[in-house]
Amino acid sequence: MEVGGSKLEVTAAQALVQALEQENIPIVFGYPGGSTLPVYDVLASSAIKHVLVRHEQGAVFAANGYARATGRVGVCIATSGPGATNLVTGIADAYMDSVPLVIFTGQVPTTQVGTDAFQEVDITGITVPITKHNYLVKDHRKLLQTIKNAFYIAATGRPGPVLIDLPQDILKNKISFRYPKNISLQSYKPVLEGHFGKINEAARLINKSRRPVIYAGGGILISQACEELKQLAEIISAPVTNTFRGLSCIPGEHPLFLGMLGLHGTRYANLAVTECDLLIALGVRFDDRVTGKVASFAPEAKIIHVDIDPAEIGKNVRIQVPIVGDVKVVLQALLPLLKKTDRAAWLQRIEELKKLYPLFYHQENVLKPQFVLEELCRLTDGEAVIATDVGQHQMWTAQYYRFKKPGAIISSGGLGAMGFGLPAAIGAQLGLPGEKVILVTGDGSFQMTMSELATMVEQKLPLKIFILNNQTLGMVRQLQEFYYDKRYFGVNFEFIPDFVVLAKAYGIPGYNIRTPDKLTEQLPEILNAPGPVLVNCLIDPLENVLPMALNGQNF
Amino acid sequence: MYHTLTVLVANSPGVLYRVVGLFSRRGFNIESLAVGQTENENVSRMTIVVEGDALVLEQVTKQLRKLIDVIKVSDITAEEFVARELVLAKVTANPAQRGEIMQIADIFRARIVDLGRRTLTLECTGDEAKIKAFEESLRPYGIKELVRTGKIALLRGSKYAGVNNIKEEAL
Ligand SMILES: Cc1ncc(C[n+]2csc(CCOP(=O)(O)OP(=O)(O)O)c2C)c(N)n1
Ligand SMILES: [Mg+2]
């Protein structure tokens, strides 16, 4: 800032907030404490919205939900010590699912770092394995370049969380505000363009393959390659299966869509992978929940693997054609090399598999969770944004909600962190104020972060919350049923709060729904309500997520 | 099989922790590790000897390259390189044995760097085989203390990864 020829000095805290403005950050999620007060003092008069959560885990999950929903960098801030440690689960989640976050933590003054001072923790040490990078700012003159680099690192290449630890005295020091235009990173240069020779080789393999399957993951959503993916599938007549993280990158109703693969994937998706002669893996990482025993995964197939992270290629599975690059850029180079092909016999076989092994459940008089999801899908025309928690309800969402909009599923995949749902839904709704955001949660998960109901009300967010209440930690109960001879222990709650009364305490209308008829009858009104609604769906407590591929066996 | 990696890293706080943490977290075995500043004070060079097959090595190098502070990773195992290790050994040496030990030192072109009443401390540099032989020859006298630096290595010839122009701001 130049005033009358001389540079205006500001505090580093002021510079930090101005840097966020320069990065076009409209919103930060946070919880204050002594060490971050210099920043809060400045935030108060900034145009940046600060969302006060009820627990720091809520802040980082909300930033995470915001980032997933909008594709932009999510920002959160917490104080030193316990504030910082409360972020850890949310940071790990962002790391596993490649979500861009910039996280600010307060730290004790530089003079006290390393002395076990009050509320000192080594948060950069703690988060080394779960951040893409992190910084402890020891020199206020380096703050702005650090922030510039952090946003760049978080958002580019394979996105991920970057943490900046801010000793309190640093924040009070004066600097002249000059936000750097350029990043300064010696060796960090993500490769976007794929190797041309490899792309040609991929095209040759695709053109001569008879039974190709496309295995598409979160990378497609991150690089916004949904249109290219659809074109690829349609040109070469290849069915598409999704990882959990990749769901919504192709419309759920698309005739070439196979649903999710892996542990709780559709039988026909897994069989198609087993029978295929070419697996086209796009923006995926061959996670163990997908492959099961690696030796019998896609046993007849050659594999083409496109990913922006070179370390993912060849990590778990041998790859015939590795292509490092941004999947959108690579697909744009690949598409013109492909022959339009019908592959009628293969598609006929796929249809046969779909008919032989459909997803199914038995509709009874009790409320079935799958039916709840089908009804939600029908009444929102597959166009809602669905946030979920972790457990059976999450898998039923993956199986039965047919997403139309890319990125419309907001869910903790790689980490599988219960408690993600409500705060992430809050972040998503704040990022997408015009969209209908629905939270599908479980009675267990919801109780982990339901304190954020207050945040939701405070922010006037019209979330529609559906608790698929089986009065149990259903997913774990299911594991005990299958693998521990039904010796149920530590999974059935003896006390569950009355969620409808709880909703009332927050001034939110709540409903208990026990039967399919009631659901169908009440759902339109609930979904069209202008404000938030909590729906406690009392579902069949013994319902399982099926299919479930058994341990070690190939599905 | 053992591989020798040379890793150029930003000389930033925590960089050693990031590298070592990566090895332990992912179950890679470090046989030896030597770190020191390079010709550029902002850059350090690590020489890491790691055990593993080709697949493991591929993962090690790829994961290392993902660290923002890592500037360059080269597996020089298959190339011509000079490798040295320094060892200091304190051995029991009664006045009567000193002559013999000094002869051994001569053979290995080691040096006596300290003399105690009953001990001699020797310094020796060399490649792995030489250091091993040196140690074996001293063993009969009784090695009281021994310390090794771990291997350091540079490519032979005029090939080099220059870091002179890397500025502090870029790291
Ligand atoms: C933070 C955390 N703790 C424990 C688990 C292990 N876990 C996975 S699913 C699950 C049960 C979830 O119960 P609920 O939210 O009621 O969902 P349901 O499976 O019943 O649909 C548990 C305990 C986890 N994923 N995350
Ligand atoms: Mg439950």
Side-chain angles (χ1 to χ4, degrees):
Chain A
M1 222 182 290
E2 302 263 337
V3 174
S6 70
K7 277 185 229 90
L8 189 65
E9 296 240 311
V10 296
T11 64
Q14 276 168 321
L16 185 156
V17 173
Q18 287 176 19
L20 295 182
E21 286 164 356
Q22 298 278 311
E23 291 286 345
N24 293 316
I25 299 302
I27 189 166
V28 302
F29 302 86
Y31 207 84
S35 68
T36 50
L37 281 183
V39 178
Y40 273 74
D41 203 36
V42 185
L43 268 180
S45 52
S46 153
I48 297 172
K49 182 185 174 82
H50 173 265
V51 176
L52 178 65
V53 292
R54 295 300 185 267
H55 183 296
E56 287 85 356
Q57 188 177 106
V60 63
F61 278 154
N64 191 318
Y66 173 88
R68 290 178 193 248
T70 61
R72 306 175 60 179
V73 178
V75 178
C76 66
I77 175 163
T79 193
S80 66
T85 52
N86 273 347
L87 297 173
V88 167
T89 305
I91 299 173
D93 176 81
Y95 186 68
M96 290 289 262
D97 279 355
S98 309
V99 178
L101 296 185
V102 171
I103 301 128
F104 294 97
T105 48
Q107 182 56 278
V108 300
T110 43
T111 48
Q112 291 178 13
V113 167
T115 65
D116 304 316
F118 177 65
Q119 296 197 327
E120 180 188 1
V121 298
D122 174 13
I123 196 64
T124 44
I126 289 172
T127 57
V128 159
I130 53 168
T131 49
K132 190 168 169 187
H133 195 48
N134 64 24
Y135 296 95
L136 168 62
V137 181
K138 284 188 176 156
D139 177 351
H140 53 282
R141 287 165 307 181
K142 291 189 175 161
L143 175 71
L144 290 173
Q145 188 67 60
T146 302
I147 296 175
K148 180 78 190 177
N149 290 352
F151 274 95
Y152 183 75
I153 293 169
T156 54
R158 179 177 179 175
V162 179
L163 181 140
I164 303 178
D165 201 18
L166 302 161
Q168 199 188 10
D169 53 335
I170 294 285
L171 291 171
K172 294 179 188 161
N173 286 336
K174 295 261 184 174
I175 52 177
S176 56
F177 184 82
R178 221 189 285 119
Y179 196 57
K181 286 209 169 54
N182 300 315
I183 50 140
S184 64
L185 291 161
Q186 181 62 33
S187 58
Y188 175 76
K189 289 180 193 87
V191 174
L192 301 184
E193 316 248 332
H195 185 277
F196 188 66
K198 294 284 178 210
I199 292 175
N200 263 312
E201 205 179 320
R204 263 203 317 278
L205 276 188
I206 292 171
N207 286 335
K208 71 171 209 243
S209 87
R210 303 210 333 263
R211 302 184 307 279
V213 166
I214 299 169
Y215 155 39
I220 298 280
L221 294 169
I222 293 169
S223 79
Q224 301 183 345
C226 300
E227 185 50 40
E228 287 79 3
L229 171 71
K230 207 172 103 195
Q231 283 180 28
L232 170 70
E234 287 169 2
I235 292 172
I236 67 170
S237 303
V240 181
T241 181
N242 275 162
T243 64
F244 177 72
R245 174 84 173 94
L247 284 170
S248 80
C249 73
I250 181 160
E253 297 291 353
H254 196 286
L256 288 169
F257 184 50
L258 289 172
M260 182 172 73
L261 83 167
L263 179 66
H264 291 302
T266 60
R267 190 87 196 273
Y268 45 88
N270 288 325
L271 286 168
V273 170
T274 304
E275 292 181 17
C276 75
D277 66 353
L278 179 68
L279 190 66
I280 307 166
L282 305 173
V284 294
R285 58 189 178 90
F286 294 82
D287 179 74
D288 54 285
R289 293 290 149 125
V290 163
T291 62
K293 239 190 5 218
V294 170
S296 38
F297 178 71
E300 296 173 24
K302 291 210 163 76
I303 304 180
I304 298 166
H305 188 186
V306 183
D307 203 276
I308 198 154
D309 180 356
E312 285 306 338
I313 295 180
K315 184 178 80 177
N316 297 336
V317 170
R318 255 178 220 283
I319 303 300
Q320 276 71 39
V321 185
I323 303 175
V324 176
D326 178 271
V327 67
K328 185 187 184 85
V329 178
V330 171
L331 285 181
Q332 282 171 346
L334 177 69
L335 287 173
L337 309 175
L338 300 175
K339 277 204 309 253
K340 175 127 184 78
T341 324
D342 289 336
R343 295 195 170 85
W346 177 226
L347 291 187
Q348 200 186 333
R349 171 68 183 151
I350 296 289
E351 283 314 306
E352 194 178 300
L353 290 172
K354 283 186 180 179
K355 285 214 180 68
L356 276 172
Y357 307 107
L359 275 179
F360 72 96
Y361 64 96
H362 296 289
Q363 178 67 295
E364 292 157 28
N365 248 346
V366 286
L367 189 58
K368 292 286 182 172
Q370 300 92 333
F371 180 69
V372 178
L373 267 313
E374 280 180 342
E375 284 294 271
L376 280 176
C377 186
R378 182 175 66 84
L379 286 163
T380 57
D381 206 15
E383 294 198 325
V385 172
I386 310 277
T388 85
D389 257 299
V390 172
Q392 291 180 312
H393 63 276
Q394 180 189 32
M395 290 300 117
W396 289 316
T397 306
Q399 292 175 334
Y400 288 90
Y401 195 94
R402 302 192 155 240
F403 291 91
K404 269 195 190 148
K405 286 191 188 157
I409 176 165
I410 311 287
S411 190
S412 172
L415 191 67
M418 290 170 69
F420 174 89
L422 178 59
I426 288 171
Q429 184 75 81
L430 281 162
L432 303 171
E435 299 283 329
K436 189 173 290 302
V437 179
I438 296 174
L439 169 64
V440 178
T441 180
D443 47 313
S445 298
F446 187 64
Q447 291 187 71
M448 283 205 171
T449 47
M450 62 190 182
S451 50
E452 300 304 337
L453 281 173
T455 313
M456 174 187 84
V457 174
E458 206 162 79
Q459 298 296 328
K460 302 191 175 59
L461 303 176
L463 295 180
K464 307 295 181 278
I465 301 172
F466 291 81
I467 303 175
L468 300 192
N469 188 347
N470 47 14
Q471 301 165 63
T472 175
L473 300 172
M475 189 56 107
V476 181
R477 185 205 57 72
Q478 176 171 347
L479 291 175
Q480 289 180 340
E481 177 179 340
F482 280 64
Y483 296 117
Y484 293 85
D485 233 356
K486 301 193 182 174
R487 289 188 299 277
Y488 298 133
F489 180 71
V491 291
N492 293 322
F493 292 121
E494 278 166 34
F495 174 80
I496 297 181
D498 182 332
F499 289 118
V500 170
V501 174
L502 180 83
K504 211 171 154 206
Y506 287 92
I508 309 163
Y511 301 89
N512 285 313
I513 293 187
R514 295 162 205 280
T515 61
D517 291 349
K518 256 279 183 287
L519 181 80
T520 306
E521 186 192 315
Q522 291 197 287
L523 214 43
E525 191 193 326
I526 290 167
L527 290 173
N528 288 323
V533 182
L534 184 149
V535 188
N536 184 34
C537 301
L538 290 140
I539 59 163
D540 185 348
L542 291 178
E543 191 66 27
N544 283 325
V545 179
L546 294 172
M548 166 153 136
L550 292 176
N551 229 350
Q553 290 178 359
N554 213 34
F555 347 100
Chain B
M1 135 151 207
Y2 290 104
H3 289 253
T4 303
L5 305 183
T6 71
V7 184
L8 288 166
V9 300
N11 204 354
S12 63
V15 65
L16 184 60
Y17 176 48
R18 289 178 204 279
V19 170
V20 172
L22 173 73
F23 276 80
S24 71
R25 192 159 71 239
R26 295 196 180 262
F28 305 141
N29 284 326
I30 297 184
E31 179 64 21
S32 92
L33 168 77
V35 201
Q37 228 174 56
T38 60
E39 62 276 20
N40 179 338
E41 61 173 359
N42 302 313
V43 178
S44 290
R45 177 179 263 110
M46 298 183 173
T47 308
I48 307 177
V49 180
V50 50
E51 192 187 354
D53 59 18
L55 274 177
V56 169
L57 256 290
E58 185 184 323
Q59 262 301 299
V60 171
T61 48
K62 283 175 167 179
Q63 293 294 347
L64 278 172
R65 285 188 185 121
K66 272 175 76 169
L67 298 179
I68 306 287
D69 283 338
V70 167
I71 300 164
K72 193 172 190 317
V73 183
S74 334
D75 182 351
I76 60 172
T77 315
E79 303 192 44
E80 291 279 315
F81 64 88
V82 193
R84 288 291 180 272
E85 192 171 355
L86 170 70
V87 62
L88 292 174
K90 185 179 286 182
V91 294
T92 318
N94 298 319
Q97 295 170 312
R98 280 187 188 161
E100 275 177 49
I101 294 174
M102 283 159 91
Q103 274 181 7
I104 292 175
D106 258 1
I107 295 170
F108 287 96
R109 277 189 245 156
R111 296 196 310 152
I112 313 287
V113 290
D114 190 42
L115 190 65
R117 274 209 301 143
R118 289 210 175 75
T119 58
L120 274 177
T121 303
L122 296 95
E123 167 201 309
C124 181
T125 54
D127 60 15
E128 232 184 305
K130 177 177 164 189
I131 297 290
K132 202 166 161 210
F134 178 64
E135 220 184 295
E136 287 309 316
S137 341
L138 293 178
R139 205 171 285 287
Y141 301 93
I143 299 176
K144 293 290 172 203
E145 261 185 326
L146 184 139
V147 58
R148 296 167 68 156
T149 55
K151 176 158 130 184
I152 57 171
L154 281 183
L155 286 180
R156 283 189 188 275
S158 45
K159 264 211 279 182
Y160 61 92
V163 292
N164 275 323
N165 296 327
I166 299 178
K167 301 234 169 47
E168 190 195 351
E169 302 86 75
L171 297 167

